Amino acid sequence: MTRGELTRLTGRVAGPDCDDDDCPNVYRTKSGSFVVQGDMSSVFTPPAGEGLVEIPEHVLREAVRALGW
């Protein structure tokens, strides 16, 4: 899957320290799942094949609004 195949739900308004595609973002896949872009987190070690990212609350709220929830 490529970034072009995802629907970007957030990042329409640039936040602090954001340039183009390097901001925390939430994307939706064609199958309805989500891809989250954010700062790497090491609060605990996730299972093999999974990763942890940290995103600000306003990014998640923006994604929810974009979905009309």
Side-chain angles (χ1 to χ4, degrees):
M1 177 181 324
T2 66
R3 183 180 289 193
E5 297 175 272
L6 303 172
T7 300
R8 187 173 176 172
L9 300 175
T10 59
R12 310 257 186 260
V13 178
D17 304 320
C18 292
D19 294 319
D20 298 322
D21 293 327
D22 67 350
C23 301
N25 282 298
V26 177
Y27 300 87
R28 191 161 197 187
T29 68
K30 290 180 181 180
S31 67
S33 64
F34 298 93
V35 175
V36 179
Q37 174 185 347
D39 293 330
M40 294 297 294
S41 177
S42 59
V43 295
F44 67 89
T45 303
E50 295 183 5
L52 302 175
V53 297
E54 184 175 344
I55 61 170
E57 181 180 327
H58 72 74
V59 173
L60 188 55
R61 288 181 181 274
E62 185 180 351
V64 169
R65 279 194 300 274
L67 291 167
W69 293 352

